[in-house]
């Protein structure tokens, strides 16, 4: 297991900022989100509202599932999860399985993480970044080599399965989830098309 750490939990603020690599972008708005169960008023909207004070609360048997479905195959580099043991105690996940596929029928587990009293954002890499990048701490990854994937994995469907909670808790709280992938190549900083050929490059500067 490789040890990774969480950013501190700050429950006194409505929105807690998350440090994200500038090379990554948020993919969550491109997906449809489904939960295996939810208490009224504690569902997908609360999981995705950007506030660390709200949360999804499951309302059914384990495992508790978060399903994230994309219309097209996307590149995913990391999943960021906000959990706070200091506040949620026995509702806090202690073991989470991450699975990918094209739909429910062909999901395969690519990572499993163990959490020990986490407090804050946990950045869970699904592929190894290039170069020497220190992993965040506060949880342990079952596969630190990430199946040999580099930079990103490609998938239509992601499932997070909360297998167990702290103190043998039955239902779970997850306060926020973000899905990040690499920024699209071939576009300049202003979103314009990047000129690639010699013929186009002659128009790249203003005379």
């Amino acid at each position: 297991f490789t040890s990774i750490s969480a950013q501190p939990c700050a429950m006194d603020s409505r929105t807690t900022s998350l440090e994200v690599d500038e090379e990554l972008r948020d993919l969550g708005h491109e997906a449809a989100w489904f939960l295996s169960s939810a208490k009224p008023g504690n569902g997908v909207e609360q999981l995705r509202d950007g506030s660390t004070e709200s949360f999804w609360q499951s309302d059914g048997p384990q495992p508790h599932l978060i399903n994230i479905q994309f219309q097209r195959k996307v590149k995913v580099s990391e999943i960021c999860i906000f959990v706070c043991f200091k506040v949620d105690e026995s509702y806090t996940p202690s073991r989470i399985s991450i699975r990918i596929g094209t739909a429910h029928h062909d999901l395969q587990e690519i990572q499993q993480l163990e959490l020990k009293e986490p407090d804050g954002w946990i950045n869970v890499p699904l592929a190894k970044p290039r170069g020497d990048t220190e992993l965040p701490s506060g949880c342990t990854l079952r596969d630190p080599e990430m199946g040999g994937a580099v930079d990103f994995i490609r998938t239509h469907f992601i499932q997070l399965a909360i297998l167990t909670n702290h103190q043998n808790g039955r239902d779970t709280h997850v306060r926020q989830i973000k899905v990040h992938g690499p920024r699209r190549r071939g576009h300049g900083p202003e979103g314009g098309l990047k000129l690639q050929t010699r013929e186009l490059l002659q128009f790249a500067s203003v005379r």
Side-chain angles (χ1 to χ4, degrees):
F1 283 88
T2 296
S3 183
I4 61 182
S5 68
Q7 297 175 31
C9 183
M11 300 307 293
D12 55 315
S13 166
R14 166 113 187 124
T15 303
T16 301
S17 61
L18 168 66
E19 293 181 11
V20 180
D21 189 307
E22 62 181 9
E23 293 296 317
L24 300 178
R25 65 188 185 96
D26 187 3
L27 302 173
H29 63 283
E30 300 179 16
W33 294 66
F34 306 95
L35 305 171
S36 56
S37 67
K39 288 273 190 185
N42 294 97
V44 171
E45 183 179 348
Q46 288 70 36
L47 183 64
R48 297 280 301 144
D49 65 5
S51 169
T52 57
E53 292 188 351
S54 57
F55 52 85
W56 162 51
Q57 180 174 326
S58 63
D59 187 21
Q62 294 174 342
H64 306 300
L65 306 177
I66 301 169
N67 297 309
I68 308 166
Q69 185 166 21
F70 296 91
Q71 288 189 340
R72 58 183 179 82
K73 186 175 281 191
V74 295
K75 299 176 181 179
V76 181
S77 300
E78 69 176 16
I79 295 176
C80 303
I81 306 170
F82 193 98
V83 284
C84 198
F85 177 78
K86 289 178 182 177
V87 176
D88 296 321
E89 298 182 337
S90 66
Y91 287 92
T92 309
S94 60
R95 190 157 54 99
I96 302 176
S97 170
I98 301 175
R99 306 155 180 176
I100 65 171
T102 57
H104 285 92
H105 68 278
D106 65 355
L107 291 173
Q108 293 187 338
E109 182 179 87
I110 60 165
Q111 191 59 274
Q112 192 174 122
L113 55 150
E114 301 277 347
L115 300 171
K116 186 175 181 181
E117 301 185 2
D119 284 306
W121 282 106
I122 308 262
N123 295 53
V124 185
L126 301 187
K128 282 205 162 197
R130 295 187 186 275
D132 298 326
T133 302
E134 185 178 351
L135 295 175
S137 82
C139 70
T140 53
L141 297 177
R142 193 180 70 175
D143 179 14
E145 296 303 315
M146 299 162 212
V150 177
D151 285 346
F152 56 83
I153 51 97
R154 296 176 186 264
T155 188
H156 280 100
F157 196 102
I158 302 171
Q159 182 181 86
L160 276 68
I162 289 88
L163 305 178
T164 60
N165 293 319
H166 283 71
Q167 302 169 353
N168 296 316
R170 187 177 77 93
D171 281 310
T172 199
H173 285 182
V174 177
R175 292 183 170 268
Q176 290 293 301
I177 290 183
K178 302 284 186 182
V179 181
H180 295 141
R183 294 190 181 278
R184 293 189 181 96
R185 299 299 181 184
H187 288 76
E190 300 302 322
L193 185 64
K194 188 173 180 180
L195 305 178
Q196 300 285 0
T197 66
R198 180 179 298 178
E199 290 77 12
L200 289 175
L201 284 171
Q202 66 180 309
F203 302 109
S205 60
V206 177
R207 290 184 173 87

